[in-house]
Amino acid sequence: MDQHVWVSSALNDVATLGLDVVVEYPCPQDKFEHTGVQLNQYGMPVPVEQCPIKIVSDVDDQSQVRTSIEKGTPDLFLAKGHVIVSEKAADIISQFDLGAGALYPVVDGVFHGDGTTKLAEDYFSLVFGNSKSAFLPDQTPEKDTFGGTGRIWNLPWTMSDDNIAVSNLATDGADVWVDQTLFKSFFLSGDLGDALDKAGLRKAFYLYRARVC
């Protein structure tokens, strides 16, 4: 197989959204200049104090579809923008170079909407913590424009393997990162993505191979 990394469209897919959840933090968040979600979107380190310690599905919120939490035990979901992964996924990710990224446990757990039924599996906040400038729009056939600036791009409407192209810069450094020129995406190294794929987690992470040019 040609050299590759992996790109995830999970941040852009409505099936992962956790808008209808209640998130609790270890301390008041208004003392921070930027939210943990904002820092994560830019590939910056996120303090553990800015990640959830408890997540409860809000089944009374009728404006949203049923959460992944209510449907079972998801391996990846978003809780108010925080990227939450299962223990199974975290065990794999933790074996790789996270650089300034991190996996912080949701220490009090993830609960169904009754507030008392806890999901059996442990969950973790995934902090990307790293940023690389490797996306190659000129060699990506089906990218979409974002904001008309020509400097930031959207993922293609329909994702497919080998459509996204990146430079060799993607192979240096940490195994998890974001590229600020490709909106609502995150990347994994070839080895990390391969490991998640082998564990049957490719679909859960919305992973697609990206070409290294």
Side-chain angles (χ1 to χ4, degrees):
M1 183 183 296
D2 293 336
Q3 190 176 20
H4 66 282
V5 298
W6 295 82
V7 60
S8 172
S9 63
L11 304 184
N12 212 31
D13 196 293
V14 294
T16 63
L17 293 180
L19 298 178
D20 43 352
V21 297
V22 177
V23 174
E24 295 183 11
Y25 298 94
C27 62
Q29 297 298 292
D30 55 7
K31 70 176 186 177
F32 298 106
E33 182 178 359
H34 300 290
T35 68
V37 172
Q38 289 171 330
L39 293 172
N40 210 26
Q41 289 174 342
Y42 285 104
M44 300 177 68
V46 181
V48 65
E49 294 82 8
Q50 290 188 262
C51 290
I53 59 170
K54 184 177 181 179
I55 299 169
V56 180
S57 174
D58 183 5
V59 294
D60 293 330
D61 184 351
Q62 299 301 314
S63 66
Q64 304 295 332
V65 297
R66 291 180 69 208
T67 66
S68 298
I69 298 169
E70 294 299 323
K71 294 176 182 178
T73 53
D75 286 299
L76 182 151
F77 68 95
L78 304 184
K80 299 294 186 183
H82 295 279
V83 182
I84 309 298
V85 300
S86 66
E87 183 177 10
K88 176 182 178 180
D91 283 346
I92 296 170
I93 296 169
S94 65
Q95 298 176 40
F96 290 83
D97 178 10
L98 299 185
L103 287 161
Y104 295 133
V106 183
V107 292
D108 291 338
V110 177
F111 292 80
H112 285 274
D114 60 11
T116 60
T117 305
K118 183 179 177 181
L119 271 63
E121 189 154 6
D122 291 330
Y123 281 87
F124 298 78
S125 294
L126 173 59
V127 174
F128 306 132
N130 308 282
S131 178
K132 302 179 185 181
S133 297
F135 175 57
L136 297 175
D138 291 344
Q139 298 188 50
T140 299
E142 297 179 10
K143 78 276 185 182
D144 285 337
T145 58
F146 175 85
T149 65
R151 295 192 299 272
I152 302 177
W153 303 88
N154 274 324
L155 290 166
W157 181 257
T158 302
M159 291 289 290
S160 60
D161 283 343
D162 304 320
N163 179 56
I164 301 295
V166 297
S167 72
N168 282 318
L169 292 174
T171 63
D172 295 332
D175 289 298
V176 181
W177 71 95
V178 299
D179 193 313
Q180 294 182 25
T181 62
L182 191 58
F183 187 61
K184 284 192 174 182
S185 68
F186 68 89
F187 286 84
L188 306 175
S189 68
D191 288 342
L192 174 49
D194 289 349
L196 291 172
D197 184 21
K198 185 177 180 180
L201 295 174
R202 178 176 177 175
K203 182 177 180 180
F205 272 69
Y206 296 80
L207 292 178
Y208 299 86
R209 284 194 310 271
R211 294 176 288 116
V212 178
C213 300

